[in-house]
């Protein structure tokens, strides 16, 4: 019966919103980053040369986000449609990290999660940070690959579909 009690005993692991950002700040510091809390809801730090931000609002205590933004000028030599295609492929292949183009044309990368009671915020935040950097690296590799395919004319559907003939008629 003692074994059963071990799994059914309620443990008070309530999420305390006021401790989330301080816990993340401490975890990032211990991991060797030099984070700063630059606003009431945000922590800024640098990871592998990228400026990253954890965002958390106590009035939305179950949602945590880490993000990095690249200004459009970082990709000025790339067509917007190519950036969107790289975002689409990244979002399809990366299950946790996402990429999108914001209204200013900047490329934004995010990793988001819902926080549940008992969630180990410190290890979760480090994992989210790692996933963000991985997503950024994946996006850059994908963008490079798509640009090369476009330049050589080898791009297209990965599923072997043929393009419609120039006349617009259906292939026979």
């Amino acid at each position: 019966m003692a074994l059963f009690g071990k799994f059914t005993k309620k443990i008070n692991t309530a999420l305390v919103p006021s401790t989330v950002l301080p816990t993340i700040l401490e975890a990032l510091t211990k991991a060797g980053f030099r984070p700063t809390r630059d606003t009431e809801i945000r922590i800024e730090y640098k990871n592998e040369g990228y400026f990253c931000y954890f965002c958390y609002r106590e009035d939305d205590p179950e949602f945590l986000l880490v993000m990095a933004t690249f200004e459009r000028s970082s990709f000025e030599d790339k067509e917007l449609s190519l950036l969107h295609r790289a975002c689409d492929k990244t979002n399809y292949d990366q299950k946790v990290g996402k990429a999108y183009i914001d209204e200013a044309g900047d490329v934004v990368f995010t990793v988001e999660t819902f926080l549940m009671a008992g969630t180990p915020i410190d290890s979760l935040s480090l994992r989210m940070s790692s996933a963000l950097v991985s997503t950024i690296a994946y996006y850059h590799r994908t963008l490079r690959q798509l640009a090369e395919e476009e330049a050589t004319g080898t791009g297209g559907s990965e599923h072997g579909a043929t393009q419609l003939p120039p006349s617009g008629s259906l292939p026979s």
Side-chain angles (χ1 to χ4, degrees), residues 147-168:
E148 288 171 2
E149 288 173 359
E150 195 173 84
T152 62
T154 59
S157 174
E158 297 176 342
H159 304 290
T162 59
Q163 293 182 335
L164 292 175
S167 66

Side-chain angles (χ1 to χ4, degrees), residues 2-75:
L3 181 61
F4 181 72
K6 181 177 184 178
F7 294 108
T8 59
K9 188 179 356 176
K10 297 266 185 197
I11 300 172
N12 185 9
T13 56
L15 179 64
V16 180
S18 63
T19 65
V20 172
L21 284 177
T23 301
I24 293 170
L25 194 63
E26 183 179 339
L28 291 172
T29 300
K30 284 182 182 176
F33 300 103
R34 287 184 271 172
T36 58
R37 190 161 176 179
D38 65 343
T39 67
E40 183 179 316
I41 64 167
R42 193 170 78 170
I43 292 174
E44 176 184 21
Y45 68 102
K46 208 169 184 182
N47 188 354
E48 295 192 26
Y50 305 121
F51 284 102
C52 304
Y53 304 91
F54 269 98
C55 300
Y56 179 77
R57 298 177 59 98
E58 290 182 24
D59 62 349
D60 188 10
E62 295 178 342
F63 182 73
L64 179 63
L65 163 83
V66 63
M67 67 183 297
T69 302
F70 291 78
E71 292 180 356
R72 176 64 173 104
S73 60
S74 301
F75 302 101

Side-chain angles (χ1 to χ4, degrees), residues 15-159:
L15 179 64
V16 180
S18 63
T19 65
V20 172
L21 284 177
T23 301
I24 293 170
L25 194 63
E26 183 179 339
L28 291 172
T29 300
K30 284 182 182 176
F33 300 103
R34 287 184 271 172
T36 58
R37 190 161 176 179
D38 65 343
T39 67
E40 183 179 316
I41 64 167
R42 193 170 78 170
I43 292 174
E44 176 184 21
Y45 68 102
K46 208 169 184 182
N47 188 354
E48 295 192 26
Y50 305 121
F51 284 102
C52 304
Y53 304 91
F54 269 98
C55 300
Y56 179 77
R57 298 177 59 98
E58 290 182 24
D59 62 349
D60 188 10
E62 295 178 342
F63 182 73
L64 179 63
L65 163 83
V66 63
M67 67 183 297
T69 302
F70 291 78
E71 292 180 356
R72 176 64 173 104
S73 60
S74 301
F75 302 101
E76 64 188 354
D77 62 329
K78 304 288 190 255
E79 293 290 324
L80 189 58
S81 63
L82 184 64
L83 298 177
H84 278 289
R85 285 179 39 222
C87 285
D88 291 345
K89 184 157 177 46
T90 299
N91 293 341
Y92 180 80
D93 291 339
Q94 298 290 303
K95 303 307 179 212
V96 176
K98 299 299 174 202
Y100 64 92
I101 312 282
D102 70 7
E103 61 277 349
D106 299 338
V107 181
V108 180
F109 300 93
T110 65
V111 173
E112 305 168 3
T113 191
F114 289 107
L115 297 176
M116 304 299 161
T119 302
I121 304 294
D122 50 355
S123 59
L124 174 65
S125 62
L126 294 176
R127 181 65 187 118
M128 288 176 72
S129 181
S130 175
L132 180 66
V133 170
S134 178
T135 301
I136 294 168
Y138 184 88
Y139 178 86
H140 282 91
R141 283 192 310 270
T142 300
L143 182 61
R144 187 172 41 253
Q145 177 188 0
L146 291 172
E148 288 171 2
E149 288 173 359
E150 195 173 84
T152 62
T154 59
S157 174
E158 297 176 342
H159 304 290

